[in-house]
Amino acid sequence: EVQLVESGGGLVQPGGSLRLSCAASGFTFSSYWMSWVRQAPGKGLEWVANIKQDGSEKYYVDSVKGRFTISRDNAKNSLYLQMNSLRAEDTAVYYCARPREVDDVLDYWGQGTLVTVSS
Amino acid sequence: DIQMTQSPSSVSASVGDRVTITCRASQGISSWLAWYQQKPGKAPKLLIYAASSLQSGVPSRFSGSGSGTDFTLTISSLQPEDFATYYCQQANSFPWTFGPGTKVDIK
């Protein structure tokens, strides 16, 4: 059974940093691109970042470029999101998700971890 | 960037009703479109991929159609468990983008 379990969320002050983790199991993690998607309270879904299987390609939504870094450790079956210079508008539930290889649809999602940026 | 719009933003319907949700892309995306269902406090769930293919395990009352810029999600006979918010998403090019969502609630 595919499982994605996020952790690392919490309350952080504006300008602060946080590192999210996603532990993957039930599939060959190193064979898949991986994604982060976020959802601000009461709002819609926003794709944040993608990383290729070997980490050689990364893509970001414009609003986080230069502040967030997606990374992975295939030996640990883990995905990460380093978030720096956090702003109030980064407050959201952050989901780890797996894009399916053949068509890039997000077929498995974690339960999400809440990041609150507030003083 | 490709912008995704959805209509209506919300719809009130009764059990057994047929519900149709429309999604439009700001430029052609061929069939690189997915539909997701999200219930409060839960992660989204994949319903439809490649615009019209039903994800395994999803009831056949859900169907999708369209290509290019205009797409639809249809629920043929609404069931109590279908009350949720529905999102379309394009994976044609980065940045991937979602529609703003359509909330289906009880009439």
Side-chain angles (χ1 to χ4, degrees):
Chain A
E1 179 194 5
V2 172
Q3 283 198 317
L4 299 168
V5 180
E6 302 94 336
S7 60
L11 175 63
V12 61
Q13 292 188 338
S17 298
L18 211 55
R19 188 197 196 204
L20 305 184
S21 299
C22 171
S25 61
F27 65 103
T28 305
F29 180 74
S30 59
S31 296
Y32 288 83
W33 283 75
M34 291 298 296
S35 301
W36 287 100
V37 176
R38 68 183 178 182
Q39 186 169 38
K43 302 297 184 182
L45 300 167
E46 180 183 41
W47 169 79
V48 174
N50 270 25
I51 185 168
K52 194 176 179 180
Q53 290 90 330
D54 61 359
S56 62
E57 292 183 39
K58 303 176 184 181
Y59 298 90
Y60 300 91
V61 68
D62 280 351
S63 58
V64 309
K65 281 180 184 174
R67 301 187 301 121
F68 290 11
T69 303
I70 189 172
S71 63
R72 64 192 296 161
D73 185 336
N74 288 339
K76 294 183 178 180
N77 290 339
S78 292
L79 176 71
Y80 305 102
L81 187 67
Q82 177 67 43
M83 304 185 295
N84 298 332
S85 303
L86 282 161
R87 306 166 180 168
E89 54 265 34
D90 296 317
T91 294
V93 173
Y94 285 74
Y95 294 101
C96 163
R98 188 189 82 169
R100 196 161 60 189
E101 201 171 6
V102 65
D103 53 14
D104 283 340
V105 295
L106 299 167
D107 60 350
Y108 286 96
W109 298 65
Q111 85 288 351
T113 188
L114 176 62
V115 173
T116 303
V117 184
S118 175
S119 54
Chain B
D1 298 1
I2 298 174
Q3 308 302 320
M4 306 299 291
T5 57
Q6 286 182 236
S7 62
S9 57
S10 65
V11 56
S12 294
S14 300
V15 172
D17 284 353
R18 181 182 183 90
V19 173
T20 298
I21 299 168
T22 297
C23 175
R24 177 165 289 175
S26 61
Q27 62 190 78
I29 58 171
S30 184
S31 295
W32 293 94
L33 185 101
W35 289 96
Y36 300 87
Q37 176 194 67
Q38 187 180 33
K39 297 181 179 179
K42 300 294 187 182
K45 172 188 174 183
L46 176 65
L47 297 178
I48 300 285
Y49 62 95
S52 60
S53 297
L54 195 66
Q55 173 68 355
S56 175
V58 174
S60 59
R61 62 181 179 273
F62 290 93
S63 64
S65 65
S67 67
T69 60
D70 295 309
F71 303 87
T72 59
L73 172 71
T74 299
I75 310 172
S76 60
S77 178
L78 200 64
Q79 297 302 300
E81 60 268 29
D82 301 336
F83 292 98
T85 300
Y86 294 84
Y87 295 93
C88 61
Q89 180 236 338
Q90 67 83 17
N92 180 75
S93 61
F94 288 118
W96 291 352
T97 44
F98 290 86
T102 295
K103 185 176 181 180
V104 178
D105 60 21
I106 301 171
K107 191 171 187 179

